[in-house]
Amino acid sequence: MASVATEVARRATLAGIGLRSGSRNLFAPFALAGSAATRHTSHPQNRLFSSTTDEHVVLKENTNQVVGLAEYARAFLQEGHAAPSNAVLKRTNLFFTDALLCGTSALALRTNAPTVLREECRGYPLSAAQGGVPLLGDDATAHPEKVIAANCASTREWDSNGTNFGYNPKLGHTAGEFGHPDFFPVAVASAQLANKDGQYALLSMLLLEEIRCRLGEVFSLKSYKIDHVVHGAIASAIVYGTALGATVEQIESAVGMTVAHYVPFRAIRAGKQLSDSKGSSSAISTEAAILSVRRAMNGFRGPKDIFRNPEAIFRLFEGPGQMLSTAGQQDLNLEDKDEAPFYLSLGMKGDDFAIMGEHFKLGLYEHQSAGAIQGLLNLLEQNPSLMQDNAEGQKIQDIAITAYEPAFGIIGDPAKKNPTTRQSADHSMAYIISTLLRKALQGGKSGWKELMLSPYDYSEQALYDPVTRSLMQKINFVHGGQEYDEKYPDGIPTSIAVTTDDGATNDSGLIMYPAGHARNTTHDLEDILDHKFDMLSSIAFSEDGKADALARLTNLGDKSAQEVQDIFKFKIDYKDDFVDA
């Protein structure tokens, strides 16, 4: 008779789901008959984990990966199998604090989209006793999908709350889909509705980011002009449904509906001037995902097995039976197999979680400009004479920025040399670099903290600063070609050269890992983040309110269930000195 371990391994192989530890597949049953694992009889073989460090759940291509994700989430959140390291939890809390300070400061300055969605939300009141959840900095509670949309829109509005680049070379998962941690309000709302404590909320945030980022490593939505928020919407449906006690089948239906009914295209990011749709894309998609969960839990049945559905976005463009292709693609996959285009490897224990590879933004800027920012700061520190008697940039003749695709095409677009909206300015390399340089020339200082870009650097007045506009016209972009392209998304390969009126050229050399990048080792990240947090909290709160707000958002793992209920009960200090563009 085969041993229990052998039988578990056999069942796992049949299911296509296993545990990775290092380079080995390890299988060990964590529950026997009569335990929690046997309650879900439809897919018991999906629930197999080992007890070694750095565990990973592997969902193979020939399995129903949506069911696998639902089972993984249940084990992660509800059954106590998640064991991330303290470093992972600390970094998760830092990203959460960063996102919420971005959101509250955007509300304090009365930015348009968060304000509109917040007012819309007030039209759907629902008491906490009936299942309502609170808005940021407000006692009002409303329907969860409306609150989550408003709160997510706030956290995303400044485009300053972190980035992932979909890069995991050790598994060959380098699809390179970027995205952002916009979805933490989903984790907070679900913890509030389930009356869970801060540790549960923190694990929910980590789980959401793990699913979202791992999907970004294996499927590039942008390659097919689909917006990256789809991955976050899928992760939101799984985390929210798990917290509310949805069955595996209900979560499968919710994810199926999210993908089949609500796919946003990158039209929201196209054009010479960007709109509110760019900043609120994650909010709108997540609203649909949460609504899909509610419908599924009320009995609505959505499409099953959506990753293997031959007419859903994933297999339309990749995998066996591929129906569509990008221009010039030659190697269509016409195999007759019932498989997804990818397998998934998801963390359960240890240090190897995707959030450890996410990058912080140290101010307000599109993250692909971070290499140029670091190059400029290096140049100014090495050549302080550039900041002497040069307040209007009159000594600067030319600024050449060499970058990679997609940065060259997205934020180096010549049309972005004339931004007329904040949403366009924060996606304009010319504007970002010229604003930083103007601040340095006029202040005589350099450094991440000294020159950190704040919301006020994107006000209507700032957009039309004459020195900034003059410097923008001196910027020239160069595509670095294969030498640069092949180094992304491992790094942010960029160089910048400033030529002065005496003919001297100061060159930064190649920048790969600027401050804030997960692989940067030369800067004190937490010190710079402290400065950013102080900058944003000074906008969002009164001096007395800053300490209270930071106390609520930090040390999340120590918070009680009641403290999670009250986590957003800080008072936002609304201001009238910001004119948005």
Side-chain angles (χ1 to χ4, degrees):
M1 180 177 178
S3 68
V4 173
T6 301
E7 176 60 15
V8 168
R10 184 188 71 80
R11 290 168 60 201
T13 300
L14 290 174
I17 298 170
L19 252 291
R20 234 179 8 92
S21 179
S23 60
R24 298 177 297 145
N25 281 334
L26 300 177
F27 306 98
F30 62 81
L32 300 177
S35 71
T38 62
R39 292 197 304 266
H40 315 294
T41 56
S42 58
H43 303 285
Q45 69 270 40
N46 291 3
R47 310 171 53 71
L48 305 168
F49 304 91
S50 76
S51 58
T52 59
T53 59
D54 281 350
E55 287 180 357
H56 300 80
V57 176
V58 177
L59 307 180
K60 293 186 177 180
E61 298 95 323
N62 62 350
T63 66
N64 186 335
Q65 293 168 328
V66 185
V67 165
L69 285 169
E71 295 280 5
Y72 162 68
R74 183 167 301 197
F76 197 99
L77 284 181
Q78 308 294 63
E79 296 174 359
H81 294 284
S85 70
N86 289 335
V88 170
L89 294 176
K90 179 180 179 181
R91 193 171 180 87
T92 304
N93 204 152
L94 279 173
F95 274 112
F96 168 68
T97 303
D98 186 34
L100 269 293
L101 291 177
C102 287
T104 50
S105 58
L107 289 170
L109 295 187
R110 306 179 191 274
T111 54
N112 189 59
T115 301
V116 169
L117 293 176
R118 194 173 174 86
E119 290 307 308
E120 177 185 300
C121 180
R122 295 184 194 281
Y124 296 83
L126 188 68
S127 70
Q130 294 174 304
V133 292
L135 285 161
L136 285 173
D138 201 308
D139 291 331
T141 57
H143 282 264
E145 70 275 10
K146 294 296 183 182
V147 171
I148 287 169
N151 288 348
C152 283
S154 302
T155 63
R156 184 67 195 138
E157 181 65 15
W158 294 141
D159 198 356
S160 183
N161 59 321
T163 298
N164 63 286
F165 283 158
Y167 183 70
N168 189 355
K170 64 187 175 185
L171 296 182
H173 290 177
T174 56
E177 183 58 67
F178 36 72
H180 314 280
D182 305 335
F183 305 90
F184 292 135
V186 175
V188 173
S190 62
Q192 290 170 330
L193 289 168
N195 197 30
K196 297 292 186 178
D197 63 14
Q199 182 71 4
Y200 185 95
L202 194 59
L203 287 173
S204 298
M205 295 172 193
L206 174 61
L207 174 63
L208 200 156
E209 287 300 280
E210 183 69 3
I211 295 171
R212 182 184 71 81
C213 293
R214 297 306 187 192
L215 285 170
E217 293 172 359
V218 296
F219 194 86
S220 173
L221 294 161
K222 67 182 182 298
S223 296
Y224 312 111
K225 306 306 178 186
I226 299 170
D227 201 50
H228 58 70
V229 299
V230 171
H231 291 330
I234 292 170
S236 294
I238 293 167
V239 169
Y240 188 80
T242 300
L244 269 62
T247 66
V248 169
E249 289 76 13
Q250 288 168 340
I251 292 173
E252 182 183 17
S253 281
V255 173
M257 281 187 274
T258 299
V259 174
H261 293 281
Y262 305 108
V263 173
F265 282 82
R266 288 185 65 84
I268 61 175
R269 301 173 190 278
K272 295 181 180 179
Q273 304 299 329
L274 302 183
S275 68
D276 285 337
S277 289
K278 187 269 287 184
S280 293
S281 182
S282 57
I284 293 168
S285 290
T286 303
E287 177 185 19
I290 301 308
L291 184 59
S292 295
V293 174
R294 296 184 69 183
R295 284 185 176 143
M297 293 183 72
N298 286 332
F300 193 99
R301 283 174 265 183
K304 290 182 173 293
D305 202 359
I306 200 70
F307 292 120
R308 289 193 295 179
N309 187 313
E311 296 187 21
I313 55 173
F314 303 101
R315 284 188 62 189
L316 270 178
F317 293 104
E318 295 181 13
Q322 172 186 353
M323 291 186 180
L324 302 176
S325 64
T326 55
Q329 182 181 355
Q330 301 295 324
D331 54 341
L332 299 183
N333 186 342
L334 302 179
E335 290 183 284
D336 184 17
K337 290 182 179 179
D338 185 23
E339 290 185 355
F342 48 76
Y343 78 88
L344 288 167
S345 179
L346 304 135
M348 180 62 77
K349 187 176 182 180
D351 290 309
D352 191 11
F353 286 83
I355 204 161
M356 300 304 283
E358 290 189 56
H359 317 295
F360 284 97
K361 294 185 182 181
L362 305 178
L364 275 65
Y365 53 83
E366 209 286 333
H367 195 73
Q368 306 211 50
S369 66
I373 293 173
Q374 186 69 68
L376 178 61
L377 295 179
N378 291 355
L379 278 182
L380 293 172
E381 290 169 7
Q382 295 162 7
N383 303 278
S385 60
L386 288 172
M387 298 181 284
Q388 296 172 2
D389 301 319
N390 195 19
E392 296 184 356
Q394 66 275 13
K395 292 183 179 180
I396 294 175
Q397 192 174 73
D398 180 76
I399 304 167
I401 301 174
T402 304
Y404 58 97
E405 286 289 8
F408 180 75
I410 295 176
I411 59 176
D413 181 352
K416 300 285 177 67
K417 279 192 174 185
N418 182 33
T420 60
T421 67
R422 172 173 50 83
Q423 300 279 10
S424 297
D426 70 23
H427 272 55
S428 166
M429 178 87 85
Y431 181 82
I432 293 166
I433 294 302
S434 295
T435 300
L436 273 168
L437 183 54
R438 171 183 59 79
K439 293 175 70 172
L441 298 179
Q442 294 178 346
K445 298 178 181 178
S446 180
W448 280 98
K449 293 193 293 184
E450 291 80 2
L451 298 181
M452 184 172 288
L453 292 173
S454 83
Y456 290 99
D457 290 313
Y458 294 90
S459 68
E460 184 176 59
Q461 180 180 2
L463 253 62
Y464 293 97
D465 183 278
V467 175
T468 299
R469 289 277 166 167
S470 173
L471 290 169
M472 288 170 68
Q473 299 313 308
K474 299 180 181 184
I475 289 181
N476 294 296
F477 292 99
V478 179
H479 178 212
Q482 183 178 353
E483 178 188 357
Y484 279 63
D485 292 352
E486 65 187 10
K487 293 179 173 62
Y488 172 84
D490 173 43
I492 307 179
T494 315
S495 60
I496 181 169
V498 176
T499 301
T500 52
D501 56 5
D502 60 2
T505 297
N506 302 282
D507 195 324
S508 70
L510 180 66
I511 303 294
M512 278 288 285
Y513 309 125
H517 194 283
R519 283 178 283 286
N520 177 275
T521 59
T522 58
H523 291 77
D524 186 340
L525 174 64
E526 291 190 37
D527 179 57
I528 304 174
L529 281 177
D530 281 345
H531 181 83
K532 180 185 179 185
F533 292 175
D534 183 70
M535 177 184 78
L536 295 177
S537 61
S538 294
I539 293 171
F541 310 108
S542 67
E543 194 59 36
D544 291 339
K546 283 170 60 177
D548 173 64
L550 286 169
R552 292 176 186 273
L553 299 176
T554 54
N555 299 314
L556 187 56
D558 297 330
K559 300 286 190 288
S560 67
Q562 185 58 53
E563 287 173 313
V564 172
Q565 296 292 330
D566 297 338
I567 195 168
F568 294 156
K569 288 188 176 180
F570 35 62
K571 184 178 180 180
I572 296 174
D573 183 22
Y574 292 94
K575 295 176 172 63
D576 296 312
D577 62 346
F578 180 78
V579 180
D580 205 356

